[in-house]
Amino acid sequence: MTAQTTKTELSHAEQACAEGESALTRGDTAAAEDHFTKALDLVGTAAPGGAAGGTGGGPDAEGVARVAARAWTGAGRVRLARGETADAEAEFERARALRPAAAGPLHWLGCAAAHRGDLAAAERHFTASLACAVPHGRSLVQRAYVHARAGDPDAALHDLRAAALISPLDDEARWLDAALSGRSAREVALRLRRAALASLADSGPGGGADWKRAGELTAAARGLDQEPWPAAPLYAVALVRGGRRSAAVALLGDAVRHDPADHRVTHALAVCLLNSAQEPGGSSWERCVAAWAAVLHDAGFWEHVLTGAARRYGVAVDPALVPALRAGLREVLERHMPDDAEAGTRVAPGPLLQREADAAQLLAAVGGFPSAGGGGAPLFCGPLRIAELGRSAEFGAFAVALEESFTAARAQPSAYASTAAAPGMYASLTYAFSELGFAQLLLGQDKASDALAALSELRCPGCRARGGPGAAAVCEPACGRFDELNPGYAGVPHKHLRLSLDARGLALEARLHMGRSEMTSARPDFGAAAAYWRRALVHSRELDRYRETQTAIVDMALGAARAAHHDGRLSLAVATLDATRSVIGANERARLEGQLARVLADRGISVANDEEALLDQPAADLRRSVALNPHLLRAQVSLGIVLRGLALARWSSGSLSGARATLREAVAQLTAALAHFPDDPDLEELRVAVIADLDHIMWQPDESEQ
């Protein structure tokens, strides 16, 4: 201390100490340190016992020592809150040297000794504090903690009961009293939880020590009481901020199993898992994906989001924004998903999230899945959440009942209009809640080849290891994981066969899609397209869908050919129809041949009208056109004209025999055409002209014959 300390400075120092203690209560150790440093600057930092007081009306030495000790004690508390126990003890010793008879420095020396595990020293300091003229208010309780840690419950109880006579115990002291008094584990856990909440109520911007203590108390309570807790997300936050993230995940997981429809718990679990370190085997990423998919399509969650936004910004928020908000959240999540190599999951987290979210959306479209066996709030989730809850068999029964209701609705004509989309919805829901969901997703993204690859292996890892490369793609009938991986089929009779047949159906769709893609690409590969469609037809026979598949292939080919024809790409149209005709049976071939006849006629006429073109190719096109459809008058007339022109060209080139043969073909063709179109003037006139040409040429000498 210095002789220059004035009453004003001492008053300011006392105010700085008060503000520092207030900052410590809030948990703001940085602000507290600044205030205590300011107080020490005001009163000076000379060695204890030095001259104090001043002249000219300055404060007495006792007042300066009291404020300085208070400041050193506060500085030590800052160090102790930061875990710097040795430095804290040094500050407390300075305070004790200034005021040896004061209880405060002794009490905090006891706390520091307890922090470093020296229980004997801690007990001595607390006892000394209690022997002071004015004991510290917390020394009895703190000595009770020391006695409890030292294994002396009777002494701890004695101190707690003595403290309770002086002032009411806080929540933390009450749980210790309950534990030492032999109360039930549940009651002790309840008092631990209250103590944790009390420590949270005092936390502030820098309150790491309070969060840590709250986490410790919550973890201790969880160890005593494994039953579901109310306000689980709040306790989970305490655990996370207290450095116990795995305990938070376990707490929230139990809460989700207790009430899976509570979006607040599911959202807290989703956030916690997304920010957690990856667990071995990728299980954390699968749980993370399952939780986020359940949140994305939960109407209660989005209502909560809109209400919170309206309260925050003071304006009503239009519910029409939800789809855009959902899409944005999904994009953010997909960006956070690691590669499959990093995640270690069976399926990469990105596609897994897409499958789960799409399945949740489809489930929401049918009203959700009851959260309890007898009903309960609906769940909007994907198959991973269903399996995690252990409700695959219930979901399978739910899917079967849904199918039966759709079937009954279709059987009622009056109700058909309102349920026309139901069969497709049911099929999509069933596929989505199974291993087929990935192939269905890829097909929807126009990735048919990837979908086909996904369908090649639908077994769990165990069945795959046992089955070898030549085994079927579906799990064995005795497999215990079939229902877990395929909740949509878990109640279906002959579920393994049903899944296998549905997989063939998706493979059929994939091959049809691949054939169409090859045929309509910028550089079509008609051979590959025909190969895909042949394989699709093989699948269709096994599924009793042969005629349906033939019709689909022909429809695709006709559509592609019409588009090419409209664009003037006649050769492309011909090649498209020819390739399709090579794989289609007789019952659907007539539709192709009718269109092919028209395209061939158009191409033949178009080329024949080019004065510089040879007529051999147009003649071949028109011959094929007439052979495919002899009732196409335009093709019949055009073929007669082209054959006559071709004969004249051969005569001009010196091939009299070639001209005669072509004219004879023309006469025969026109005669056959008149059988289909009797008395047609164009055909009659053309036939007369060709016969005249043939008579004239017959009398001409052929130099090649001489």
Side-chain angles (χ1 to χ4, degrees):
M1 274 66 67
T2 71
Q4 303 303 315
T5 303
T6 66
K7 290 183 178 180
T8 300
E9 289 171 331
L10 188 63
S11 175
H12 288 165
E14 284 188 297
Q15 180 63 30
C17 286
E19 291 174 352
E21 289 160 356
S22 176
L24 272 175
T25 301
R26 298 193 309 272
D28 191 348
T29 56
E33 183 176 29
D34 291 341
H35 289 305
F36 292 129
T37 300
K38 177 182 177 182
L40 289 169
D41 289 342
L42 287 169
V43 298
T45 56
T55 61
D60 59 18
E62 178 61 27
V64 173
R66 174 177 51 78
V67 175
R70 183 179 178 183
W72 283 120
T73 301
R77 291 175 62 189
V78 170
R79 300 286 193 185
L80 192 61
R82 292 174 177 171
E84 302 166 1
T85 307
D87 291 337
E89 286 186 303
E91 311 286 34
F92 296 144
E93 288 289 0
R94 288 186 177 188
R96 185 172 66 162
L98 288 170
R99 300 194 70 207
L106 289 167
H107 172 83
W108 287 106
L109 278 168
C111 292
H115 267 271
R116 59 182 171 80
D118 189 346
L119 300 182
E123 182 184 3
R124 286 197 307 273
H125 288 308
F126 288 132
T127 301
S129 169
L130 291 168
C132 292
V134 182
H136 193 283
R138 290 283 299 175
S139 289
L140 268 173
V141 173
Q142 293 298 326
R143 191 173 70 175
Y145 291 146
V146 170
H147 285 316
R149 289 175 61 186
D152 190 350
D154 293 336
L157 271 173
H158 180 272
D159 281 349
L160 286 173
R161 288 166 183 169
L165 294 175
I166 299 171
S167 63
L169 298 177
D170 60 17
D171 288 308
E172 198 163 343
R174 285 196 189 96
W175 76 254
L176 179 60
D177 179 70
L180 295 174
S181 301
R183 307 278 180 83
S184 69
R186 182 142 198 180
E187 183 178 347
V188 175
L190 177 61
R191 295 193 178 280
L192 279 167
R193 282 158 48 193
R194 288 178 178 172
L197 292 179
S199 66
L200 288 180
D202 294 334
S203 65
D210 289 323
W211 282 109
K212 182 179 180 181
R213 185 60 177 161
E216 291 172 348
L217 293 170
T218 303
R222 193 62 186 159
L224 293 172
D225 183 11
Q226 298 293 323
E227 294 297 317
W229 290 3
L234 175 60
Y235 293 109
V237 170
L239 289 168
V240 170
R241 293 288 301 272
R244 299 170 180 267
R245 190 178 295 273
S246 59
V249 171
L251 172 65
L252 291 169
D254 291 341
V256 164
R257 282 186 286 276
H258 174 67
D259 187 1
D262 189 340
H263 64 80
R264 296 167 300 179
V265 176
T266 300
H267 183 220
L269 177 62
V271 172
C272 192
L273 288 169
L274 186 64
N275 291 283
S276 295
Q278 177 185 342
E279 296 178 5
S283 59
S284 65
W285 279 114
E286 288 200 352
R287 291 187 69 194
C288 178
V289 165
W292 278 112
V295 166
L296 280 172
H297 292 280
D298 190 306
F301 169 77
W302 290 108
E303 182 179 351
H304 175 74
V305 169
L306 296 180
T307 301
R311 184 171 56 251
R312 188 178 309 115
Y313 300 114
V315 295
V317 182
D318 189 351
L321 291 174
V322 168
L325 293 172
R326 182 186 293 116
L329 176 57
R330 185 163 163 175
E331 288 179 8
V332 170
L333 293 173
E334 288 171 353
R335 287 199 297 269
H336 277 76
M337 295 292 132
D339 296 333
D340 49 351
E342 298 175 1
T345 51
R346 187 171 52 90
V347 177
L352 197 62
L353 175 63
Q354 294 178 40
R355 193 277 299 262
E356 289 293 305
D358 287 354
Q361 183 177 10
L362 289 166
L363 187 57
V366 296
F369 175 55
S371 58
L379 293 178
F380 310 108
C381 62
L384 284 177
R385 172 57 65 91
I386 296 294
E388 183 182 341
L389 296 174
R391 301 189 59 197
S392 296
E394 294 174 57
F395 186 87
F398 167 79
V400 169
L402 199 63
E403 179 186 26
E404 291 174 350
S405 68
F406 289 154
T407 302
R410 289 198 303 271
Q412 300 176 12
S414 60
Y416 181 78
S418 63
T419 59
M425 181 183 297
Y426 166 75
S428 299
L429 182 68
T430 306
Y431 292 175
F433 280 80
S434 74
E435 291 296 276
L436 300 182
F438 298 106
Q440 184 185 42
L441 173 67
L442 292 165
L443 273 176
Q445 297 174 344
D446 290 334
K447 299 178 179 178
S449 59
D450 292 336
L452 202 59
L455 291 167
S456 65
E457 183 56 81
L458 302 173
R459 295 171 295 178
C460 70
C463 287
R464 190 179 311 160
R466 289 189 296 271
V474 179
C475 282
E476 301 168 359
C479 176
R481 293 200 64 192
F482 180 88
D483 288 358
E484 172 193 339
L485 297 176
N486 305 285
Y489 290 86
V492 178
H494 312 294
K495 54 191 177 185
H496 297 82
L497 176 61
R498 174 71 176 274
L499 178 63
S500 179
L501 291 175
D502 287 346
R504 285 185 180 275
L506 282 178
L508 167 60
E509 297 298 329
R511 293 187 189 280
L512 288 175
H513 185 94
M514 293 165 74
R516 179 179 59 192
S517 298
E518 287 290 353
M519 193 161 282
T520 58
S521 66
R523 301 179 65 181
D525 186 337
F526 296 107
Y532 288 132
W533 283 348
R534 285 192 187 95
R535 187 59 182 162
L537 288 168
V538 171
H539 282 309
S540 70
R541 287 188 184 278
E542 296 166 348
L543 296 169
D544 197 21
R545 292 173 55 184
Y546 186 73
R547 293 293 298 274
E548 171 191 336
T549 304
Q550 276 194 323
T551 300
I553 292 173
V554 171
D555 287 343
M556 283 189 282
L558 289 175
R562 288 191 190 101
H565 195 177
H566 182 268
D567 294 339
R569 304 171 69 187
L570 300 178
S571 294
L572 177 60
V574 169
T576 299
L577 295 168
D578 272 336
T580 309
R581 187 168 174 264
S582 69
V583 301
I584 293 299
N587 51 354
E588 284 287 339
R589 194 172 291 169
R591 294 170 61 206
L592 287 171
E593 291 177 346
Q595 179 71 8
L596 181 57
R598 287 189 289 274
V599 177
L600 286 167
D602 286 348
R603 187 173 71 171
I605 293 168
S606 175
V607 175
N609 286 334
D610 184 351
E611 295 180 356
E612 297 181 1
L614 299 176
L615 295 177
D616 297 86
Q617 184 58 48
D621 282 347
L622 290 165
R623 287 189 192 101
R624 285 193 66 201
S625 175
V626 167
L628 291 168
N629 185 6
H631 298 284
L632 195 60
L633 177 60
R634 184 162 167 264
Q636 293 279 21
V637 173
S638 298
L639 179 56
I641 294 171
V642 168
L643 288 174
R644 186 186 182 198
L646 182 59
L648 294 175
R650 287 175 175 172
W651 184 15
S652 299
S653 65
S655 177
L656 199 60
S657 60
R660 289 171 182 166
T662 304
L663 287 171
R664 290 191 185 100
E665 180 189 353
V667 172
Q669 177 262 319
L670 291 167
T671 301
L674 283 167
H676 295 289
F677 302 98
D679 302 324
D680 181 84
D682 292 333
L683 289 173
E684 287 281 6
E685 182 180 345
L686 185 56
R687 183 172 180 276
V688 170
V690 170
I691 291 174
D693 290 341
L694 181 59
D695 289 342
H696 178 70
I697 290 177
M698 290 298 294
W699 296 101
Q700 299 299 317
D702 189 343
E703 295 179 359
S704 62
E705 294 176 353
Q706 298 176 2

